[in-house]
Amino acid sequence: MTAQLCAHADEAVAGVEDGSTVLVGGFGMAGMPVDLIDALIRQGAKDLTVVSNNAGNGDTGLAALLAKGRVRKVICSFPRQADSYVFDDLYQAGRIELEVVPQGSLAERIRAAGAGIGAFYCPTGVGTLLADGKETRVIEGRTYVLEYPIRGDVALIGAHRSDHMGNLVYRKTARNFGPVMATAASTVIAQVREIVETGRIDPETVVTPSIYVDRVVQEATA
């Protein structure tokens, strides 16, 4: 399997449809595919459901997408931070929906989608508002809540390096949600620091194999 190498980010996000569920990698700004998000803003897709660790930082990246009014719903773990004022304003005005998911549960729900798991029981959130309306089950004396997979139409992820096939290597904390998101979306688009010839990456260091990756673009340089 060989990924499509795109000349620029606008080519990489072409075809993203209105109403899509978009998985966006990143932990804060670490691993955030800002070039792809900016291109998605230019592309114009709207009524999106965005799944990410948080709801944007400052006024760049994911926050910029929210500010353009393109996002209908955010599914995340940390919607409010010191610099999440774009999301705060939208939410207080009733202009965006929010589903809060504990971080471990978020990662596992995405991983479950990629692994073909129909649902799973998890103890996190039991007895809180996060479990309201969800099925629960007592297993060996402990209560668990039933959680369902989160699948994406598109995943936008950031990686450190790709070869011409689309095998991805990440760098330190920028790895975060990228690997699981790459397994859980119909179309996976990766923004990378550099693209090297196939064979230049030690197979032992590949985290996301090319079979999961559809498009790769090298990030713009300042």
Side-chain angles (χ1 to χ4, degrees):
M1 297 292 292
T2 301
Q4 174 188 351
L5 300 183
C6 300
H8 46 74
D10 296 276
E11 178 186 354
V13 302
V16 176
E17 298 181 351
D18 293 352
S20 293
T21 295
V22 182
L23 313 181
V24 180
F27 190 86
M29 294 303 292
M32 177 75 66
V34 175
D35 287 0
L36 292 177
I37 296 171
D38 288 346
L40 186 60
I41 292 172
R42 293 191 294 270
Q43 190 258 11
K46 58 184 184 298
D47 196 33
L48 302 173
T49 295
V50 166
V51 182
S52 193
N53 179 68
N54 65 8
N57 301 89
D59 55 7
T60 61
L62 184 54
L65 182 66
L66 268 60
K68 292 294 185 180
R70 304 286 177 73
V71 180
R72 177 183 65 83
K73 180 178 181 179
V74 170
I75 301 174
C76 73
S77 299
F78 298 97
R80 299 195 69 188
Q81 302 170 95
D83 59 353
S84 61
Y85 47 82
V86 172
F87 173 81
D88 281 357
D89 290 347
L90 290 170
Y91 188 72
Q92 294 294 337
R95 295 169 55 196
I96 197 166
E97 299 177 36
L98 171 66
E99 178 181 347
V100 175
V101 182
Q103 185 169 266
S105 300
L106 181 67
E108 186 64 7
R109 289 178 66 183
I110 296 168
R111 191 197 70 83
I117 296 171
F120 62 92
Y121 285 98
C122 177
T124 306
V126 170
T128 73
L129 292 174
L130 298 179
D132 279 2
K134 296 183 178 180
E135 178 183 336
T136 59
R137 181 175 177 180
V138 177
I139 302 174
E140 296 184 346
R142 188 175 186 183
T143 302
Y144 294 78
V145 61
L146 185 65
E147 299 284 3
Y148 289 93
I150 298 175
R151 297 179 178 85
D153 298 300
V154 179
L156 305 181
I157 60 176
H160 180 62
R161 182 179 293 119
S162 172
D163 63 16
H164 284 199
M165 290 185 68
N167 295 300
L168 303 181
V169 175
Y170 301 85
R171 186 174 186 274
K172 300 182 179 181
T173 57
R175 179 168 173 168
N176 51 71
F177 284 85
V180 290
M181 287 182 171
T183 70
S186 299
T187 300
V188 176
I189 308 169
Q191 170 188 316
V192 299
R193 291 279 184 90
E194 64 174 342
I195 300 173
V196 300
E197 294 290 335
T198 300
R200 287 277 307 281
I201 297 176
D202 181 350
E204 294 294 332
T205 67
V206 171
V207 178
T208 298
S210 62
I211 192 171
Y212 293 111
V213 182
D214 298 286
R215 305 172 192 169
V216 175
V217 65
Q218 186 168 340
E219 67 182 43
T221 55

